[in-house]
Amino acid sequence: MRRICLFFAVIVALTVVSPAVFAGPSKSEAALQAKSSAKKNDRFSGFIERLWPQARARGVSRATFDAAFKGMTPDAEVIALTKKQSEFVKPIWDYLASATSSARLERGQRVMRDYEQAVAAVEARYGVDRSVILGVWGMETNFGSYTGGKDVIRSLATLASIGYRGTYFRDELINALRILEERHVARADFKGSWAGAMGQTQFMPSSFWRFAEDFDGDGHKDIWKSVPDALASTANYLKENGWRSGQPWGFEVALPKGFDYRVHDASFAEWRARGVTRADGQALPQDGQASVFYPAGADGPIFLVTSNFNVIKRYNASDAYALGVANLGDLLQGGSRIQAAWPTEDQLLAFSQRIELQRALTRLGYDVGKADGRIGSRTREALRDFQERAGLRPDGYPNRRVLEALKVN
Ligand code: CA
């Protein structure tokens, strides 16, 4: 997993940021706080010293280690962010509108002109479509306009010291120290997101070691300041995760009347035979396999997606993210906007209703795992089965209509 998202905030360590910091403490409270904060700093220093043998074993010198942690205290803001729970999920159409806003598209057009040669060279070397490379760059940092201002070592050390997500951040921290050891970035410029995602396209340190490239040939894999390095690293990430050259990610389609919703995956030839057409009027590809994808149910825009769509999801597992990357990239290359209308808001389920829906499915004997309000593949599969039995279109999409149907069953 390349990146940590806010949903992981549910599994949270117990160290607490003193909320009174913002409330104007009394004298005795202030004294208590100073004591508790000193204790936290001691604990943090202890964690760092215990880290040293592991860092040394991975090739980090004492000089790099000391310079990395000099005068460091844990970052209370980072700890607070681990506790932030996102119960409200933005509707996918709002997400996509922001992904393809005119401001983002304008900036995208500009950087495409500025880096035309680099983009073309990266596409040729890795065999990954420029539209997707640009789409990732645009979605991750608005083409380098916000790459995160947190100190990477401090963020990772803070998360590792509280044991957030087990040993994940401890490993990322060691990988980050190795980046300093090899001087790919200056200590002062080693910046990223609160969870340690770094540079133009937001790599975690472990991804840096697996996939980062020195494309401009200056001896440093500089994903912060060198656009050619960052774009090549992204293309390499996608290629190594299975990007198939010459295959589209997918496209919007129109389904014929009487479409059999039980078919999910087929060759393009079979989709053609079933009367599926592209929304932009172009012909379906001759070769290849694709799945039908209903990001907002059968009432909204419908897509055929190939395995390349799933490769984009290796960057970030969200469907909305992958569609944002894909559509932004298409638009930058002269492609069309999504054509079908999105369903209305009144069909959207609130967090509590998504839990209600999962509980109802469980009552009917489906195994959807823990009712956590997150609609994963098991919930979708159960929904499809239920919809089919209830005489609804089996698109696996959770909306009010299907919740009402579940309630009377
Ligand atoms: Ca370089």
Side-chain angles (χ1 to χ4, degrees), residues 11 15 37 52 91 102 127 144 158 180 197 224 226 239 249 277 301 326 374 405:
I11 21 170
T15 315
S37 137
W52 164 242
S102 55
T158 300
L180 281 181
W224 295 266
S226 164
K239 176 175 178 259
W249 65 266
T277 54
R374 293 167 63 184

Side-chain angles (χ1 to χ4, degrees), residues 177-244:
L177 291 168
R178 292 173 57 218
I179 293 172
L180 281 181
E181 183 68 38
E182 292 199 9
R183 297 170 193 277
H184 289 290
V185 62
R187 176 69 191 90
D189 297 333
F190 203 10
K191 297 283 165 64
S193 78
W194 70 271
M198 320 173 299
Q200 301 276 329
T201 53
Q202 300 284 280
F203 269 31
M204 289 302 288
S206 55
S207 290
F208 178 96
W209 286 111
R210 284 205 302 260
F211 307 112
E213 297 275 88
D214 170 22
F215 197 72
D216 60 19
D218 71 348
H220 304 286
K221 297 174 179 179
D222 184 358
I223 59 173
W224 295 266
K225 287 186 181 150
S226 164
V227 167
D229 284 9
L231 299 189
S233 302
T234 300
N236 191 38
Y237 184 104
L238 296 167
K239 176 175 178 259
E240 293 297 321
N241 276 288
W243 184 269
R244 289 171 68 177

Side-chain angles (χ1 to χ4, degrees), residues 184-408:
H184 289 290
V185 62
R187 176 69 191 90
D189 297 333
F190 203 10
K191 297 283 165 64
S193 78
W194 70 271
M198 320 173 299
Q200 301 276 329
T201 53
Q202 300 284 280
F203 269 31
M204 289 302 288
S206 55
S207 290
F208 178 96
W209 286 111
R210 284 205 302 260
F211 307 112
E213 297 275 88
D214 170 22
F215 197 72
D216 60 19
D218 71 348
H220 304 286
K221 297 174 179 179
D222 184 358
I223 59 173
W224 295 266
K225 287 186 181 150
S226 164
V227 167
D229 284 9
L231 299 189
S233 302
T234 300
N236 191 38
Y237 184 104
L238 296 167
K239 176 175 178 259
E240 293 297 321
N241 276 288
W243 184 269
R244 289 171 68 177
S245 206
Q247 178 183 264
W249 65 266
F251 30 74
E252 188 182 353
V253 292
L255 303 181
K257 277 209 168 67
F259 177 76
D260 184 350
Y261 285 89
R262 291 169 305 177
V263 182
H264 304 305
D265 191 65
S267 65
F268 282 121
E270 193 182 337
W271 289 124
R272 195 177 309 114
R274 288 179 177 275
V276 175
T277 54
R278 275 181 69 152
D280 62 8
Q282 294 187 46
L284 292 183
Q286 289 301 315
D287 303 312
Q289 189 84 10
S291 308
V292 66
F293 170 48
Y294 312 96
D299 291 331
I302 299 164
F303 301 84
L304 281 183
V305 295
T306 70
S307 61
N308 280 347
F309 187 74
N310 293 322
V311 174
I312 300 173
K313 285 174 72 174
R314 296 295 297 271
Y315 222 91
N316 177 326
S318 132
D319 281 337
Y321 172 84
L323 203 53
V325 165
N327 194 224
L328 173 62
D330 280 358
L331 289 170
L332 286 172
Q333 294 296 309
S336 48
R337 288 205 169 265
I338 293 168
Q339 296 185 20
W342 294 98
T344 50
E345 304 258 345
D346 62 3
Q347 282 293 317
L348 279 178
L349 294 185
F351 181 72
S352 59
Q353 291 172 311
R354 296 201 299 274
I355 289 182
E356 205 182 337
L357 174 128
Q358 289 175 317
R359 288 195 177 135
L361 286 167
T362 305
R363 262 199 312 279
L364 289 174
Y366 292 103
D367 175 19
V368 299
K370 188 172 172 278
D372 57 4
R374 293 167 63 184
I375 307 298
S377 56
R378 278 194 292 183
T379 303
R380 285 187 197 281
E381 213 167 287
L383 268 180
R384 273 201 292 268
D385 188 79
F386 169 77
Q387 287 168 319
E388 211 176 317
R389 287 161 190 239
L392 301 166
R393 278 176 310 185
D395 57 10
Y397 185 70
N399 58 13
R400 297 228 172 153
R401 201 176 310 134
V402 73
L403 180 59
E404 291 309 316
L406 272 166
K407 281 180 178 168
V408 298

Side-chain angles (χ1 to χ4, degrees), residues 101-140:
S101 68
S102 55
R104 200 186 303 253
L105 284 167
E106 272 165 34
R107 187 169 164 87
Q109 302 288 0
R110 199 163 64 240
V111 297
M112 256 167 47
R113 281 194 301 274
D114 293 348
Y115 295 101
E116 197 184 344
Q117 281 185 329
V119 169
V122 166
E123 181 183 62
R125 168 97 61 96
Y126 299 92
V128 177
D129 291 19
R130 66 181 71 192
S131 63
V132 173
I133 299 166
L134 290 162
V136 170
W137 189 20
M139 288 299 288
E140 292 292 338

